[in-house]
Amino acid sequence: MSIRMIKETDWDAIMQIQSDAYASHLHEDLTVLQSKLIASPTSCFVFIHADDSVLGYLLAHPWLGNQAPKLGEIVVIDTGYNEVYLHDLAISGDARGLGIASQLINHLITQMQGLGCQRLLLTAVQDSASFWQQYGFSSLEHIPVCPSYGQGAKLLVLTIQADS
């Protein structure tokens, strides 16, 4: 099992995992998800089984500021950033509990440290804030989250240190 960059043939599996992992109001169209990869191929990847089947995925992209992007909108990014928005992390139901999420998160952090990224932002949905807090994310309580993320969604941030 390993982590690799997303290939065109992975999108059917990614869409199925998204459908299984999230409530229907959080589902996004294929073109919206693909816009994350187009904006930042170095921060979007899949976790694959030895047979090359996709067990999980992580989509992240450059971002500026303390507001989460609106759900369902295509990402368009200007060059020059030092923050990344972790848009989506989902694991296949059959693969949950195998430590795949940890490996994907740590891979992203390592990648972003190497690029000099200073902060990772994300919106915790479906009561997942405590999961993210295990990785050092803290809540930005004073900043409202777009209602499209659903009730109880919280904006979280992780300050990371660049590689020296």
Side-chain angles (χ1 to χ4, degrees), residues 12-136:
D12 286 342
I14 289 169
M15 295 303 289
Q16 184 60 54
I17 292 169
Q18 175 193 230
S19 179
D20 294 344
Y22 293 109
S24 61
H25 74 278
L26 296 171
H27 294 181
E28 293 184 291
D29 293 336
L30 176 61
T31 54
V32 172
L33 293 183
Q34 288 174 327
S35 75
K36 281 64 166 154
L37 177 65
I38 293 166
S40 184
T42 60
S43 60
C44 297
F45 23 82
V46 290
F47 192 96
I48 57 166
H49 190 272
D51 66 4
D52 210 36
S53 61
V54 176
L55 300 177
Y57 69 91
L58 185 148
L59 303 174
H61 56 79
W63 195 247
L64 293 173
N66 285 334
Q67 293 291 329
K70 291 182 181 173
L71 199 61
E73 288 189 0
I74 290 177
V75 173
V76 179
I77 301 297
D78 292 327
T79 58
Y81 65 91
N82 60 6
E83 299 178 352
V84 169
Y85 184 80
L86 197 167
H87 183 79
D88 205 356
L89 169 70
I91 309 301
S92 166
D94 296 339
R96 290 187 190 133
L98 300 177
I100 293 171
S102 286
Q103 291 181 58
L104 287 168
I105 294 164
N106 290 328
H107 184 75
L108 175 66
I109 291 169
T110 299
Q111 291 282 98
M112 296 304 96
Q113 284 174 323
L115 295 173
C117 177
Q118 296 174 357
R119 292 190 334 156
L120 293 175
L121 295 158
L122 64 84
T123 303
V125 297
Q126 299 181 165
D127 297 320
S128 65
S130 61
F131 168 81
W132 292 107
Q133 288 166 343
Q134 295 174 61
Y135 294 94

